[in-house]
Amino acid sequence: MENSQKSFSSLIVLAVGTFLLGMSEFIMEGILPDLARDLSISIPMAGHGISIYALGVCVGATFLIALHKLPPKHIIFGLVAIIFVGSVLSVTAQSFWWLMIARFISGLPHGAYYGVGTIVAYRLADENHKTRAVSIMCAGMTFANLLGNPAATLLSGMLSWRFAFSVIALGSIVDLLLVAKFIPNLTPLPDNGYKGQFRFLKHLDPWLIIFATMLGNGGILAWYSYISPALVETGGLTASYLPLYMAFAGLGMVIGNLLSGYLSDKYKPGLIAAILQGIAGVILLVIFFTVQFGYLHLILMFFCCACFFGMGTPEQMLIIEHSKGGEMLGGCCIQIAFNFGNAVGAFFGGLPISAGLGYAYPALVGFPFVVMGFLLLMYFHKLYEKN
């Protein structure tokens, strides 16, 4: 019982880290107008802070390859320290380029944290609850969307956008203390050398997981990137309630993440991820035909967001099981796939809007992406989850 409580405490500490990363990643969407006005730049220019964060995620994830010999606790402590540095630089940003540097640094620990955090969660859990343990770690990201980012948006409007980043900085200090106290001193992973970490990429199974993740994420983000104008301008909902709508989406993410962790331990994680992607594809198609009905769109948003974060947890866990000898790199690859999918999905989802086709079409653009991801996961399930 005591070991179980210690493991749960460690998972909660890991979730605090993903909460901070969730705020760091998605905070810009809520504070863009205030930030742009304060720094005397346009909103599109301020929006580059979203893209540069994703670039930092991809670059920082690769650095974990060089840290594989260190104990996981030391790596996590260092990554949380970088979250602190990035948030402090964001608070003190006085120019566009200062902000870009701060956002790039803020993105560096994201993928690496998920890579090593998933390994820690996986090693702490017993054989029957490994996916559930990963879902608890990932829950911080969903609670950031449910509570953290709406609160940060309110702080930005009432006081200053700098207070929003200050919350992340203070949270990072608290998390450093929690990591020092509650994360156990697990031994480093076996040292297979630098080349050994890449050997798992010679096999088909990790590539199926990576591409399914990228396509599923990209397809949903093609629609979700433009959810606010779709709800307000096309669906006729009240703009002042947007923080509540986003919190409702966050609630769907929380429930989907935790439920998929439970189901993936009971059944096969690849199958659960495939089913959730398939459901998301159907929802996107329904949204395309019914986008003018704002309240229906709101309900569909809840379920699609549940699928969105629900499929991420089993995918994160699967890559650890199918990247033997390069588990940290595998965990990073999933985060790179997530963020690359985000960028690609947002780009393609915006094309029909730029062409004047309206806010229904991003959902239609995302549909084939999600379907392809569903097919890859079903193929993975057929090949590797027979028993």
Side-chain angles (χ1 to χ4, degrees), residues 26 31 93 124 134 164 194 196 214 218 228 242 275 292 313 316 358 385:
F26 295 109
I31 66 173
L124 288 176
V134 175
Y194 292 108
M214 183 184 70
S228 295
L242 271 175
I275 291 172
Q292 69 272 21
T313 293
Q316 188 79 41
E385 295 184 330

Side-chain angles (χ1 to χ4, degrees), residues 128-136 255-267 272 276 310 313-314:
N128 296 320
H129 301 95
K130 290 192 177 296
T131 313
R132 206 175 310 179
V134 175
S135 75
I136 293 173
I255 293 173
N257 170 63
L258 296 176
L259 184 60
S260 77
Y262 169 78
L263 292 174
S264 295
D265 281 329
K266 192 172 182 179
Y267 303 103
I272 296 301
L276 290 173
T313 293

Side-chain angles (χ1 to χ4, degrees), residues 274-359:
I275 291 172
L276 290 173
Q277 279 211 29
I279 294 172
V282 172
I283 292 173
L284 289 180
L285 204 56
V286 174
I287 287 173
F288 170 69
F289 289 108
T290 62
V291 71
Q292 69 272 21
F293 303 107
Y295 286 106
L296 176 60
H297 194 174
L298 205 60
I299 294 170
L300 293 172
M301 176 191 71
F302 174 88
F303 286 104
C304 198
C305 286
C307 293
F308 180 31
F309 271 72
M311 64 197 195
T313 293
E315 289 166 345
Q316 188 79 41
M317 198 279 295
L318 279 172
I319 197 66
I320 298 301
E321 292 190 337
H322 291 266
S323 57
K324 298 302 182 185
E327 289 89 347
M328 285 191 183
L329 177 62
C332 292
C333 284
I334 286 296
Q335 289 305 308
I336 292 172
F338 277 135
N339 282 273
F340 187 73
N342 291 354
V344 171
F347 172 77
F348 281 103
L351 292 180
I353 297 173
S354 300
L357 294 177
Y359 290 106

Side-chain angles (χ1 to χ4, degrees), residues 32-282:
L32 274 181
D34 299 330
L35 185 149
R37 184 168 53 251
D38 188 51
L39 296 182
S40 300
I41 57 177
S42 67
I43 288 179
M45 281 186 70
H48 290 316
I50 300 172
S51 302
I52 201 71
Y53 182 95
L55 178 61
V57 173
C58 297
V59 173
T62 60
F63 289 161
L64 195 57
I65 302 168
L67 302 176
H68 69 283
K69 297 180 182 179
L70 295 177
K73 179 174 183 174
H74 295 180
I75 300 174
I76 290 173
F77 192 90
L79 294 172
V80 176
I82 298 174
I83 297 174
F84 172 75
V85 172
S87 58
V88 169
L89 288 174
S90 298
V91 170
T92 57
Q94 300 297 322
S95 68
F96 170 76
W97 289 110
W98 188 337
L99 178 68
M100 291 301 103
I101 293 170
R103 292 295 293 164
F104 178 79
I105 292 173
S106 294
L108 289 175
H110 188 115
Y113 186 96
Y114 268 89
V116 68
T118 301
I119 292 170
V120 172
Y122 187 87
R123 291 172 68 177
L124 288 176
D126 60 57
E127 286 299 323
N128 296 320
H129 301 95
K130 290 192 177 296
T131 313
R132 206 175 310 179
V134 175
S135 75
I136 293 173
M137 182 202 75
C138 295
M141 175 73 75
T142 63
F143 276 98
N145 284 284
L146 174 63
L147 301 172
N149 289 316
T153 302
L154 289 175
L155 273 177
S156 177
M158 294 170 59
L159 300 171
S160 166
W161 60 270
R162 299 180 191 275
F163 279 92
F165 286 110
S166 298
V167 171
I168 302 173
L170 292 173
S172 301
I173 295 174
V174 173
D175 199 32
L176 285 172
L177 298 174
L178 293 175
V179 169
K181 182 174 177 60
F182 291 105
I183 299 296
N185 288 302
L186 300 176
T187 57
L189 292 171
D191 184 11
N192 297 308
Y194 292 108
K195 291 183 179 179
Q197 294 183 76
F198 290 87
R199 288 197 185 102
F200 76 94
L201 293 172
K202 295 180 180 180
H203 305 286
L204 175 63
D205 43 331
W207 288 109
L208 290 174
I209 300 166
I210 290 168
F211 278 105
T213 300
M214 183 184 70
L215 289 166
N217 235 52
I220 294 176
L221 261 294
W223 153 75
Y224 190 69
S225 297
Y226 307 96
I227 185 65
S228 295
L231 290 172
V232 174
E233 296 182 25
T234 306
L237 299 184
T238 305
S240 60
Y241 290 156
L242 271 175
L244 289 178
Y245 305 152
M246 295 302 98
F248 188 53
L251 179 62
M253 295 173 188
V254 170
I255 293 173
N257 170 63
L258 296 176
L259 184 60
S260 77
Y262 169 78
L263 292 174
S264 295
D265 281 329
K266 192 172 182 179
Y267 303 103
K268 300 293 184 181
L271 178 62
I272 296 301
I275 291 172
L276 290 173
Q277 279 211 29
I279 294 172
V282 172

